[in-house]
Amino acid sequence: METITNAPINLTSGAIQELQRLRGEEGFDQSQYLRIGVKGGGCSGLSYVLGFDAKMEDDEVYDIEGIPVVMKKSHGLYLLGMEIDFQHGLNARGFTFSNPNATSSCGCGTSFAV
């Protein structure tokens, strides 16, 4: 049985709009979940994972404004309280991460250290 709990991260309205746009594109596989997580690497030690993926057996499942989200429970330690936004500006375009757990971040904002 699948349980949906409160998500440890927050998606801004800009991120939700962009994710809904992507999910609404022709040919999008509606069985895919938005995967949020971390992996080793990047100039600061850890990199963010954000993309559409299949649900795995050990994933926790969340629903954020109608967007199905999966995340490994162990990643919550690094991502608790994080906010994901989508920027349309000239200086920043794409998804951005604001992580209160990060002690340092790289210049591009896609990797961090705790």
Side-chain angles (χ1 to χ4, degrees):
M1 182 174 178
E2 196 172 282
T3 302
I4 298 177
T5 59
N6 290 334
I9 59 98
N10 181 47
L11 299 174
T12 66
S13 60
I16 290 168
Q17 261 186 335
E18 180 62 11
L19 290 165
Q20 288 172 336
R21 185 192 69 75
L22 292 170
R23 294 185 77 238
E25 285 188 352
E26 185 177 330
F28 182 83
D29 181 355
Q30 293 296 322
S31 70
Q32 297 285 295
Y33 291 75
L34 176 65
R35 178 167 301 283
I36 300 171
V38 296
K39 66 180 180 178
C43 53
S44 293
L46 293 169
S47 294
Y48 296 109
V49 172
L50 182 69
F52 293 104
D53 195 11
K55 180 185 171 296
M56 296 181 199
E57 189 174 307
D58 59 341
D59 283 335
E60 290 195 321
V61 178
Y62 307 99
D63 181 278
I64 303 175
E65 300 289 325
I67 298 169
V69 177
V70 291
M71 190 171 86
K72 303 288 182 206
K73 185 174 187 170
S74 60
H75 294 193
L77 174 71
Y78 303 105
L79 303 178
L80 183 65
M82 182 175 74
E83 182 177 85
I84 299 173
D85 191 15
F86 187 80
Q87 299 288 321
H88 292 282
L90 295 174
N91 293 333
R93 179 162 175 80
F95 289 98
T96 61
F97 306 89
S98 177
N99 188 344
N101 306 300
T103 57
S104 64
S105 296
C106 68
C108 65
T110 60
S111 70
F112 67 102
V114 288

